[in-house]
Each structure stands twice: as C-alpha cells, then as structure tokens.
Amino acid sequence: MPSKQKNTDDTPIKPKTILLAEDDPVVLRTTARVLSRLDYEVLAHQRAGEALASAILYADKIALLITDMMMPEMNGDRLAQRIHKHLPELPVLYMSGYSHDIFNDYDVDRETAFFVGKPFTPQELIDKVLAALDMQ
C-alpha cells in the first residue's frame, strides 16, 4: 500500500499519482489529459514493461493502476499481477474495447477490479477512477 502523508489534522492524504498503461497512443494521451485536468500526476506508458518498472520505482506514490486489458507485450491482467507483488492492495481499473465478460478469460480479482469499456467519455472515466480510489 502506498505510504500516506498526513494533513496538519493527522488525516491521511491519499496519493494523487495514477499509473497508466495503454498501447494506443491516442487513448493514452487522451486518458492522461483527462486525469491531469483533475490534478492527478499521471505516469503514462505505452509499454507494459515500462509501466511495471515505473510501479516499482514510484511504489510509494501510486494510488491506482489503469491498464488496457489487451496489450502486445503483456496483457493488463498479467501486468496487474506483477505489480501486485510489490503493491498488493493497489486498485486496478481495466480498460477494454471488449465487454466486461473479458474478465472470464483472465484471473482478475473481481472484488478489487474495476472496468471501463472503450470508447468511454471523460465522465465515465472520472466516475470509475473515483470509485476505484474510494476502495482504498
């Protein structure tokens, strides 16, 4: 779990960094832009391996992983599993152009996983991000 800073009244401040893994450069840029406008720091990567390295390097800052389900180097489920070795409680928001039933093909923890179907509106993305972050 990412370490939490404290407000002056000892209330934990949740990290505002989101790790984003998406192989489509247009979706990557658009998603990162929406999240940045909400004052999130976004670590955006087009390759799953780079996202994994970033997760390890910035483990204490990351509040949420958003990943495409289908990527060439490593699928989103495998990426989440590898990141969970370092950050076991990190919530995951999966994106896919396929239906939510794609979870049946992978070993996704449905209790902590969230899903947004592509294409999505900025508001749909925001709603899912807020729901995932609320789980912490």
Side-chain angles (χ1 to χ4, degrees):
M1 183 90 177
S3 63
K4 296 190 174 158
Q5 301 169 335
K6 300 266 184 178
N7 280 331
T8 54
D9 64 357
D10 286 338
T11 306
I13 298 173
K14 292 184 181 179
K16 299 264 305 182
T17 301
I18 294 175
L19 179 59
L20 174 61
E22 167 60 63
D23 61 313
D24 182 317
V26 173
V27 175
L28 182 73
R29 279 191 310 274
T30 303
T31 303
R33 189 177 315 118
V34 168
L35 297 170
S36 294
R37 287 182 181 158
L38 294 175
D39 206 26
Y40 289 103
E41 178 182 355
V42 181
L43 305 173
H45 299 284
Q46 213 171 329
R47 298 179 56 141
E50 294 169 355
L52 178 59
S54 219
I56 294 166
L57 188 60
Y58 299 104
D60 62 330
K61 293 178 64 176
I62 298 171
L64 175 66
L65 167 63
I66 301 176
T67 182
D68 188 9
M69 241 356 227
M70 306 294 284
M71 294 185 290
E73 179 183 320
M74 179 187 321
N75 69 46
D77 177 51
R78 182 72 181 127
L79 174 62
Q81 288 175 12
R82 293 191 61 190
I83 289 174
H84 278 150
K85 289 180 182 178
H86 305 278
L87 297 164
E89 297 180 32
L90 185 69
V92 180
L93 173 57
Y94 294 97
M95 303 182 292
S96 180
Y98 299 94
S99 75
H100 191 272
D101 291 340
I102 195 170
F103 281 2
N104 294 332
D105 297 333
Y106 297 94
D107 188 26
V108 173
D109 180 358
R110 291 174 184 251
E111 296 298 315
T112 59
F114 295 83
F115 178 83
V116 63
K118 294 189 234 173
F120 49 80
T121 67
Q123 190 60 55
E124 288 171 327
L125 175 64
I126 291 164
D127 291 345
K128 293 294 183 168
V129 166
L130 293 176
L133 290 173
D134 194 42
M135 288 291 294
Q136 291 183 316

